[in-house]
Amino acid sequence: MNVEIKNLIFSYGKVKALDGVSIALPDGAIGLLGPNGAGKSTLIRILLGFLRPDRGEGRVLGYNIRSEQNTIRRYVGYMPEDDCFIPGMDGVTYTSYLGQLSGMPRQEAMKRAHEVLYYVGLEESRYRMLETYSSGMRQRLKLAQSIVHDPKLIFLDEPTSGLDPQGRIEILELIKDISSKKDIQILISSHILSDIEAVCSFVVILDKGRLAAQGEMDKLKEIDYSMFEMKLKGSTDSFIDRLRSLKYKIEEMEDRLLKVYMPPDRNVQEIFQLAFEEKIQIRHFVKSQTKLEDLFAKVVGVD
Ligand SMILES: Nc1ncnc2c1ncn2[C@@H]1O[C@H](COP(=O)(O)OP(=O)(O)O)[C@@H](O)[C@H]1O
Ligand SMILES: [Mg+2]
């Protein structure tokens, strides 16, 4: 993709919000997952040029986050976490105003404002004052303004926040639609795994200002696997082949040390039985949590 950062460091006074984050994101819908305080919003604000990193470099759509913020904001849409409405404005005036701020001519911005409000299902409320919008409508409005200027990429910061389960499903459907039909790349932040699962194919997990993990969503799901470390004596090839044929994942480390990821539907006795049949001696056998498992528990534990 289009977002690449190297060793970003950012502090608010004494609080280190980002502590050396490097990522290169692939194309598509990307999830930025992490508990509250992980640094997600800070990262997004840095990518938009609203905050300047203490250290590190980054490019968004090829543009430098330190020197080309204005160009970035023209091509990138942003749905902020907090509401930033202007009192006394109706939906369509607000949306077209933000379109103009992103560099669109007045008339075109107005035309697009009507289109995007229709798209997010606010056509009937477009002339109402924003103060009267429900939280579901506010989130839709924020989503609409993020795409009013036809961006190539949008950053959505906690788009489901404050929504009830039905509202959450609806906004995620809209986001999925934008991602699949409109040829817009998406970075969506959330502290809720199921939000990310619903929309994203790739996930980046932040924890305490650091990159905790990143990878394809499918791989992340493999954290259901239990992980064992074992040290073997004997000829191991056939033993490993048999485990692999039963869908175990195996990493061969140095010194005859194996990391074995056991699928959820298998059991430990099977490993010992196979070792016995293959005349392998298991000299060391430790169950350990994978890093991802730890992380997952932490992330999912917060709501
Ligand atoms: N304006 C601010 N002033 C001081 N500390 C802040 C400010 N904004 C965020 N922080 C701190 O920076 C860290 C990261 O925050 P943030 O980027 O908002 O995380 P997230 O969006 O993942 O919840 C947290 O410890 C938070 O308390
Ligand atoms: Mg945040």
Side-chain angles (χ1 to χ4, degrees), residues 235-260:
S235 160
T236 57
D237 291 354
S238 158
F239 173 64
I240 291 173
D241 287 346
R242 288 182 70 184
L243 286 175
R244 285 199 169 124
S245 72
L246 293 166
K247 303 263 186 290
Y248 287 79
K249 297 205 181 302
I250 298 179
E251 278 176 57
E252 296 181 59
M253 317 299 282
E254 73 290 346
D255 226 9
R256 296 185 159 265
L257 185 70
L258 291 189
K259 281 190 179 175
V260 175

Side-chain angles (χ1 to χ4, degrees), residues 126-263:
R126 68 193 143 162
Y127 296 117
R128 266 171 57 180
M129 292 296 152
L130 300 181
E131 296 89 300
T132 70
Y133 276 30
S134 69
S135 51
M137 291 161 75
R138 284 162 187 254
Q139 292 304 88
R140 282 159 186 272
L141 180 75
K142 283 198 280 175
L143 185 60
Q145 63 77 27
S146 80
I147 55 172
V148 67
H149 57 306
D150 226 352
K152 295 183 181 6
L153 168 66
I154 48 179
F155 297 138
L156 309 175
D157 198 358
E158 307 260 0
T160 63
S161 108
L163 298 180
D164 60 18
Q166 185 57 32
R168 172 169 265 148
I169 290 169
E170 286 170 10
I171 201 122
L172 290 171
E173 283 299 319
L174 269 174
I175 293 169
K176 235 192 305 193
D177 197 71
I178 293 174
S179 157
S180 61
K181 300 216 185 96
K182 291 202 181 283
D183 198 28
I184 297 178
Q185 299 202 38
I186 293 185
L187 180 75
I188 165 174
S189 89
S190 182
H191 61 284
I192 300 163
L193 181 72
S194 61
D195 284 1
I196 302 292
E197 271 184 310
V199 180
C200 302
S201 52
F202 191 93
V203 66
V204 172
I205 304 183
L206 278 188
D207 188 34
K208 299 195 184 77
R210 288 170 179 268
L211 179 70
Q214 61 178 326
E216 304 290 332
M217 213 54 220
D218 295 348
K219 297 235 172 75
L220 186 76
K221 287 184 187 154
E222 286 175 5
I223 56 179
D224 280 348
Y225 285 39
S226 309
M227 202 266 273
F228 301 96
E229 281 183 9
M230 54 184 95
K231 211 156 194 177
L232 304 176
K233 200 176 167 198
S235 160
T236 57
D237 291 354
S238 158
F239 173 64
I240 291 173
D241 287 346
R242 288 182 70 184
L243 286 175
R244 285 199 169 124
S245 72
L246 293 166
K247 303 263 186 290
Y248 287 79
K249 297 205 181 302
I250 298 179
E251 278 176 57
E252 296 181 59
M253 317 299 282
E254 73 290 346
D255 226 9
R256 296 185 159 265
L257 185 70
L258 291 189
K259 281 190 179 175
V260 175
Y261 295 84
M262 186 176 73

